[in-house]
Amino acid sequence: MSNIYIQEPPTNGKVVLKTTIGDIEIELWSKEAPKACRNFIQLCMEGYYDKTIFHRVVKDFIAQGGDPTGTGQGGDSIYGEPFKDEIHSRLRFNRRGLVAMANSQKNDNGSQFFFTLGPCYELQGKHTIFGKIGGQTIYNMIKLNELECVDERPIRPEKIISTKVIFNPFDDIIPRNRFAEPVRVVEEKSVKKGVKNFGLLSFGEEAEEEEEQLENVTKDLKVKKSAHDIGDPLLVSKKGSPIS
């Protein structure tokens, strides 16, 4: 086994998956598989994998995840289209604890990936190996091998809770704000015309004082107008934090 590790090139990049079976550290071969690693890191930064399940487990072979639909049929790359395989001669399917891209055919990589639960020699040259499980967290990963499955589908699938990029070798990655538009829509629908819901918007005492001032103004003018009608800036939709 020691000879296997010696043959592998050094890693350059690290991500931690927070999962329902414990943390899983993934060390990345970003020089050997730059497209796959860039894709994986950016999707992690964007929260793409949060709350996704490990939807397929083949005992002593592979555990697969990375599909936001949970069906094994979904998932997109950051490039807007499938990207090409990256096969490297020093990265081989000869042990458990490797991380590789799942695909349905040549050069058809999206977001799905898998862990090896043992040697998978038949996959050599067909799938991009881009990382390995680091340290003692491999013992968390291999718990996936114990899941009860029906037709390779876990009855009670484990899931990724969140992801954290520990070391990013690509300093030019700019995550897409996948949640900006839904946040704006939710906030706009949460505010009814002419009514301020302080419990929902949480503007505090300052907003309450302004509301009282506004009521006094409208009484003096003897005009029934809503807060929206006079352009109350506190009711303008604000960008919230991304919802994961």
Side-chain angles (χ1 to χ4, degrees):
M1 181 64 74
S2 60
N3 290 334
I4 292 176
Y5 290 106
I6 291 174
Q7 292 172 2
E8 293 175 351
T11 55
N12 186 42
K14 187 175 181 179
V15 170
V16 174
L17 306 184
K18 302 280 186 181
T19 79
T20 50
I21 50 174
D23 288 0
I24 299 177
E25 296 179 0
I26 300 178
E27 299 175 10
L28 302 170
W29 281 301
S30 58
K31 293 181 179 179
E32 290 71 23
K35 286 183 179 295
C37 288
R38 176 183 287 271
N39 181 69
F40 186 72
I41 287 176
Q42 183 167 329
L43 291 178
C44 286
M45 293 172 70
E46 295 173 351
Y48 191 89
Y49 294 125
D50 293 1
K51 299 180 176 63
T52 59
I53 64 172
F54 291 98
H55 62 271
R56 183 184 180 217
V57 175
V58 183
K59 190 172 179 61
D60 299 325
F61 191 60
I62 62 101
Q64 189 170 330
D67 177 5
T69 71
T71 64
Q73 303 297 317
D76 298 309
S77 78
I78 63 170
Y79 307 110
E81 60 184 5
F83 61 94
K84 292 184 178 181
D85 299 329
E86 297 170 297
I87 309 302
H88 195 278
S89 60
R90 293 179 64 187
L91 300 176
R92 307 190 69 80
F93 285 101
N94 50 14
R95 65 180 181 88
R96 71 182 183 184
L98 299 172
V99 189
M101 294 301 301
N103 59 33
S104 57
Q105 59 186 351
K106 184 177 180 180
N107 300 324
D108 188 39
N109 302 290
S111 67
Q112 293 189 47
F113 62 90
F114 63 89
F115 303 138
T116 58
L117 299 172
C120 307
Y121 300 112
E122 58 268 52
L123 301 182
Q124 192 64 41
K126 299 177 181 178
H127 296 268
T128 299
I129 300 173
F130 66 91
K132 64 179 180 179
I133 309 299
Q136 298 298 308
T137 66
I138 192 170
Y139 296 109
N140 290 332
M141 186 278 291
I142 60 177
K143 293 176 184 176
L144 294 169
N145 203 34
E146 303 168 4
L147 296 181
E148 184 179 357
C149 300
V150 175
D151 296 329
E152 302 179 354
R153 299 277 299 182
I155 295 175
R156 296 179 180 83
E158 304 291 350
K159 69 170 57 177
I160 297 172
I161 300 170
S162 63
T163 59
K164 184 177 182 180
V165 178
I166 304 300
F167 173 55
N168 176 14
F170 307 104
D171 57 9
D172 60 338
I173 289 181
I174 301 177
R176 300 162 297 179
N177 190 352
R178 299 172 51 240
F179 305 101
E181 192 63 29
V183 168
R184 287 199 295 271
V185 172
V186 169
E187 289 185 348
E188 289 170 359
K189 289 185 177 180
S190 298
V191 183
K192 294 182 179 179
K193 187 175 181 179
V195 177
K196 285 188 179 180
N197 185 335
F198 295 110
L200 175 64
L201 298 179
S202 300
F203 288 117
E205 295 179 358
E206 181 180 349
E208 292 179 355
E209 292 174 359
E210 182 166 340
E211 177 69 9
E212 292 177 1
Q213 294 173 4
L214 179 60
E215 289 178 358
N216 291 333
V217 171
T218 55
K219 286 179 181 179
D220 292 340
L221 294 175
K222 295 182 179 180
V223 177
K224 295 182 180 179
K225 288 190 176 183
S226 70
H228 275 304
D229 293 331
I230 66 171
D232 185 351
L234 290 178
L235 286 178
V236 176
S237 175
K238 296 184 177 181
K239 292 182 179 179
S241 301
I243 301 171
S244 59

